[in-house]
Amino acid sequence: TYEILSKCLPSVYSNKKYHVPKERLVVQIPHTVFPLGWIPSVYRVSWNQILKAGGLEAYFFLRYIRMCLQITTVSGIWGMIILWPVYFTGGNHASG
């Protein structure tokens, strides 16, 4: 829903673009027709820019979210490596 509503109501979903001076904006998010087209722009922002624009709390919150994403990704990969062979070879056509 964010992808659809952000295109229909830009003043609500990108209000900083309209109410904050240009020098305080961290990243210019391009208007694309592709869903999730904003992700590459967000990954190009440096940690120093986030710290300057958002403050220390935003900086550490985003670092925490990034760490959680990395832990989840590594755990998910190991989980798939271990569980997929068990799923596809087990069962012996048992019911119930």
Side-chain angles (χ1 to χ4, degrees):
T1 57
Y2 169 79
E3 293 293 325
I4 296 168
L5 289 176
S6 66
K7 305 282 190 267
C8 297
L9 304 167
S11 64
V12 173
Y13 285 94
S14 57
N15 63 357
K16 274 193 168 186
K17 189 178 200 178
Y18 301 108
H19 303 293
V20 172
K22 296 280 185 199
E23 62 271 3
R24 288 220 45 221
L25 288 177
V26 176
V27 62
Q28 292 290 335
I29 298 176
H31 292 287
T32 63
V33 293
F34 301 110
L36 305 176
W38 52 271
I39 292 176
S41 299
V42 171
Y43 274 108
R44 284 191 292 265
V45 176
S46 71
W47 287 112
N48 288 332
Q49 289 175 312
I50 293 172
L51 182 60
K52 188 172 90 173
L56 195 58
E57 289 180 1
Y59 172 78
F60 277 108
F61 177 71
L62 291 174
R63 293 289 301 243
Y64 173 75
I65 295 296
R66 181 180 177 194
M67 180 191 64
C68 290
L69 178 65
Q70 291 172 346
I71 291 171
T72 302
T73 302
V74 170
S75 300
I77 290 170
W78 279 109
M80 286 186 282
I81 289 171
I82 293 169
L83 291 177
W84 276 355
V86 172
Y87 175 75
F88 286 114
T89 60
N92 295 329
H93 305 291
S95 62

